[in-house]
Amino acid sequence: MSTAPSGHPVAPIPERLFTDEREQRWRARFTAVRMSRPAWALDAPDRSVYSSNSSGTTQVHTWDRSTGLHRQVTDRPAGTHFATLPPDGENVWWFADTDGDEFGHWVAEPFAGLPAGDEPANPLPGVEDGYPAGLDIGRDLVAVGTSTDDGTTIWLHRRGSGEPATRIYHHAEDAGVGGLSEDETLVAISHSEHGDSRHPALRVMTVDGELVAERSDGPGKGLSPIAFAPVRGDQRLLVGHERRGREELLIWDITTDTETELDLGLPGEVDADFYPDASALLVWHTHAARTRLHRYELATGELVELAVAPGCIGSADVRPDGTVEYSSSSAATPSAVRALHPDGTDRRLLTPSGEPAPESVPVEDLWAEGPGGTVHALVARPAPSPARPDGPFPAVFALHGGPHAADEDRFSAARAAWVDAGFAVVEVNYRGSTGYGSAWRDAIEGRPGLTELEDVAAVHDAVVAAGLADPARTVVEGWSWGGYLALLAAGTQPGRWAAVLAGVPVADYLAAYADEMEQLRAFDRALFGGSPEEVPERYRLASPLTYVDEVRAPVLVLAGENDPRCPIRQIDNYLDALGGRGDLPYEVARFDAGHGSLVVAETLRHVATEIDFARRALERITVART
């Protein structure tokens, strides 16, 4: 086996996972052209921007609806994450980082394309490079946030002036741009000057940086600016709050300094944005891992569910004519970009070129009693075999990242690949997940990692008791926070797992804290209740490196060389400790990107490497049994 420069064994990449039609099917789900929902320029709604993998790497594209012309804007080896359009649609703004490291600056180029040999322009003179911390482009002004090791800075730039941007806010703690008012006289920001970036406070300032109003709901309750009303002279701000223990909405009228809480009477949690005339809200309602759309009339309080296509809603927005454009998918059905017109007609808005992604299997809901309450999980079953018509199956516990995120009934090419490989896939919305209330999300404070794994263990017990999962052939897998949990599970739950697969994980929490971006250091201080210097024992107990000597299952680690979130040094520390034992099979796959990859071929290699590693680990168990 070949070795990495650090001396660690490199995971082989299999040429094929299957010898039948499944080989083409699993690859086709990744190589099929995908696209995000196109976002349009406010004053030029025929001009749209979206991301697509049509070139083999996720890049920025434009769509001129008046001519039907699509154009690829970026062509960068590591892909491009973020892009937007100013109101006039004259230029495409995209964020230029280095090889996926997320540190950089915004650039702009004409919507129609650059002349040969020209480079994108710097539309924000005077703004320092940093990690993005919000952007709102007005007709005359731009509010932009940057985060560095020194904290967060918010800048105001007058478009077309040629003058450098001015700094209107700076603080060592995390903050971000929430938005410009329609008349561009006010700026809303979220901030954590109180030291808790997970529960931010809300501030409204003039564009000169003078304080207008401030809101804070106190410890453990965040306020998030969502959007100003899109009507000139209307200074209402839509705000997310959690005063009743879950994500809800309120309208804050800055002019009169009055609030109106919106109790929509829906279970679960909600998010929203204004309709173009500010008379209503487009509401995302998330409950039990499914998201649907509603219209809420601000004058009457009437709430109506929109008759969108079946599936779980991704992103959505309202066109000037009232058409709702949205993306939707389910575990069984790949994502589609659709349009719901005011007359009730719902149609597919765009169909990407080439063959569509093959479908997969639906997910089932599973509820298990855990030490902190009922845990919700989603389960996808593989096709039965003569040996196992109903199970138990080999199973992969695919743990989501975040931690403040959730697995939903959405299409996943990775989930489908595991199912095709004969694994039951179990996705756990452990404590720390969003969508289940503030108490559930915040239950990991002071004890992250170990708390989530208690819920994973409860679901593991439930699927084994139900005869779905073979306890001797169960794999734990995840990326980012999910990869961290997988490594932590390897050492704290060694009897449960036959293999451990960790993508871009936190592996050595002390080194990770030292090397990660400042925004994540602020998050960690809020999560742990202090820095490693202030609460060292909490970090030690949460670090996978602490338990490396207890690991019994083979370990695969996949790591990005330029990752600012889970940096490479702390992963090498863990691998060095694992390799120093000399008694445990482990492998590493390093790739030249950041926190994951936007290159389709690289993603295919990651999935193939994971499934191959899991199979080989289970084969060793089978041999040992016989």
Side-chain angles (χ1 to χ4, degrees), residues 66-147:
S66 65
T67 64
L69 179 65
H70 294 256
R71 182 179 72 86
Q72 182 176 324
V73 177
T74 58
D75 186 19
R76 304 196 306 146
T80 308
H81 286 273
F82 308 117
T84 189
L85 294 173
D88 59 17
E90 290 296 316
N91 293 288
V92 181
W93 290 43
W94 52 271
F95 192 78
D97 62 358
T98 302
D99 296 328
D101 67 358
E102 302 181 47
F103 190 91
H105 56 272
W106 290 94
V107 298
E109 62 178 83
F111 185 86
L114 283 166
D118 283 8
E119 295 293 327
N122 177 8
L124 297 169
V127 175
E128 65 185 4
D129 281 9
Y131 298 106
L135 172 74
D136 195 355
I137 309 173
R139 295 171 179 85
D140 298 315
L141 299 176
V142 180
V144 61
T146 58
S147 175

Side-chain angles (χ1 to χ4, degrees), residues 344-362:
T345 303
D346 186 87
R347 65 182 177 91
R348 188 150 189 165
L349 179 66
L350 287 171
T351 301
S353 60
E355 292 295 318
E359 295 186 349
S360 187
V361 300

Side-chain angles (χ1 to χ4, degrees), residues 135 477 511 578:
L135 172 74
E477 183 268 356
L578 202 61

Side-chain angles (χ1 to χ4, degrees), residues 99-225:
D99 296 328
D101 67 358
E102 302 181 47
F103 190 91
H105 56 272
W106 290 94
V107 298
E109 62 178 83
F111 185 86
L114 283 166
D118 283 8
E119 295 293 327
N122 177 8
L124 297 169
V127 175
E128 65 185 4
D129 281 9
Y131 298 106
L135 172 74
D136 195 355
I137 309 173
R139 295 171 179 85
D140 298 315
L141 299 176
V142 180
V144 61
T146 58
S147 175
T148 67
D149 285 347
D150 295 327
T152 303
T153 303
I154 295 176
W155 313 76
L156 249 292
H157 173 64
R158 187 167 296 278
R159 298 179 61 194
S161 68
E163 297 294 322
T166 58
R167 190 171 81 167
I168 65 168
Y169 176 88
H170 178 80
H171 199 276
E173 293 291 346
D174 193 34
V177 173
L180 281 166
S181 62
E182 183 69 12
D183 60 9
E184 299 180 32
T185 61
L186 302 177
V187 183
I189 71 168
S190 62
H191 71 83
S192 56
E193 295 176 10
H194 53 296
D196 184 358
S197 67
R198 298 176 61 252
H199 303 96
L202 176 56
R203 179 174 297 164
V204 177
M205 305 181 297
T206 69
V207 293
D208 296 320
E210 296 180 3
L211 176 65
V212 174
E214 185 98 48
R215 283 289 188 275
S216 173
D217 278 349
K221 295 180 180 180
L223 289 171
S224 301

